[in-house]
Amino acid sequence: MTTRIVLTDAYNDALSRIEDFIFGVAEDMAALENFWRFHDDALRFIADNPKTPAAHPATGDQSWPFGDGRYRVFFKHVAAQSVVYMTHIIDNRQVNLEIYPGNSLPTYDAD
């Protein structure tokens, strides 16, 4: 049986923010196309191997890095329904305080 991938509204919102960030920095469609290729490959891997990442002991969700570790997707696999709910995606070039509340972006003070 094929595992179905469902993108939640929260996931789609975060995905849009990442796409905007990539295009805002690169101003190049090739950068977005590269991201989309990495993203599609990650979703295909998760659909084929939904039990590979271990579930987080406190939250019960799973996560998987992709794009040489720059991005990470969070999801919940419901085996009885053969569905994977994609709940969040992050770009590790951003601070991601909702996932890592102790993070900070390095800054400096000009004298």
Side-chain angles (χ1 to χ4, degrees):
M1 179 183 280
T2 303
T3 301
R4 188 169 55 104
I5 299 285
V6 175
L7 306 181
T8 64
D9 290 341
Y11 186 90
N12 280 324
D13 290 345
L15 181 61
S16 288
R17 285 192 305 273
I18 289 172
E19 290 167 339
D20 290 347
F21 178 76
I22 293 168
F23 190 75
V25 170
E27 295 182 356
D28 180 14
M29 283 304 295
L32 272 176
E33 290 168 353
N34 193 42
F35 167 74
W36 291 330
R37 188 171 37 259
F38 283 141
H39 182 258
D40 290 348
D41 289 347
L43 293 185
R44 195 169 13 265
F45 176 83
I46 291 166
D48 291 344
N49 305 282
K51 297 177 185 175
T52 296
H56 187 281
T59 62
D61 66 348
Q62 298 161 268
S63 69
W64 191 255
F66 70 97
D68 294 330
R70 176 175 172 177
Y71 309 100
R72 180 172 289 273
V73 291
F74 295 84
F75 59 95
K76 290 195 178 194
H77 175 232
V78 181
Q81 298 174 358
S82 196
V83 175
V84 170
Y85 292 95
M86 304 305 295
T87 58
H88 197 39
I89 180 172
I90 60 171
D91 180 343
N92 285 315
R93 288 193 180 174
Q94 297 172 318
V95 70
N96 301 306
L97 292 175
E98 69 278 3
I99 303 295
Y100 308 114
N103 272 6
S104 65
L105 292 175
T107 60
Y108 64 94
D109 293 322
D111 290 334

